[in-house]
Amino acid sequence: RIMQKLTADEAAQQVAALDGWTLEDGAAAIHRDFHFADFKTAWAFMTEVAAEADLMDHHPEWSNVYNQVSIRLTTHDAGGLTALDLNLAIRIDAAARKTVK
């Protein structure tokens, strides 16, 4: 399952519609930092995202330090940003809204 890589213009247009996500690496990836009330809440958010990522068979690059979660999305097989990354970003944003901050 190889997804079509977005052009830089397509990526910029699509990411502009997302809340808080920024383009990285010449439009090859997107990034967002999330801040929560505490570690437990951040972990609950990560658990929700992990379930969504497994359903999509598309997994984020991420890190967690106490109440902060940093997420980077790219499609390695396509060599850049694809619709799969944007779809996962939308699901991640939904998980963040469900998680008490």
Side-chain angles (χ1 to χ4, degrees), residues 60-101:
E61 297 174 11
W62 60 3
S63 64
N64 163 248
V65 177
Y66 183 58
N67 67 337
Q68 299 174 42
V69 179
S70 180
I71 300 178
R72 182 179 184 274
L73 301 175
T74 189
T75 303
H76 296 281
D77 291 346
L81 197 64
T82 69
L84 197 56
D85 300 301
L86 300 171
N87 290 336
L88 183 53
I90 290 167
R91 292 178 186 206
I92 289 169
D93 289 345
R97 285 191 298 275
K98 287 178 14 182
T99 307
V100 177
K101 291 185 184 178

Side-chain angles (χ1 to χ4, degrees), residues 1-94:
R1 164 192 75 148
I2 295 182
M3 299 290 298
Q4 179 70 31
K5 182 175 133 179
L6 300 176
T7 66
D9 288 340
E10 290 169 334
Q13 184 178 23
Q14 295 291 323
V15 173
L18 297 174
D19 183 34
W21 291 88
T22 57
L23 285 171
E24 288 188 338
D25 301 331
I30 55 176
H31 175 264
R32 183 171 176 190
D33 293 321
F34 295 86
H35 302 274
F36 299 94
D38 53 29
F39 177 75
K40 183 177 178 181
T41 307
W43 195 264
F45 164 74
M46 291 178 71
T47 301
E48 178 84 19
V49 171
E52 289 294 328
D54 266 352
L55 286 173
M56 294 178 69
D57 193 27
H58 188 60
H59 302 91
E61 297 174 11
W62 60 3
S63 64
N64 163 248
V65 177
Y66 183 58
N67 67 337
Q68 299 174 42
V69 179
S70 180
I71 300 178
R72 182 179 184 274
L73 301 175
T74 189
T75 303
H76 296 281
D77 291 346
L81 197 64
T82 69
L84 197 56
D85 300 301
L86 300 171
N87 290 336
L88 183 53
I90 290 167
R91 292 178 186 206
I92 289 169
D93 289 345

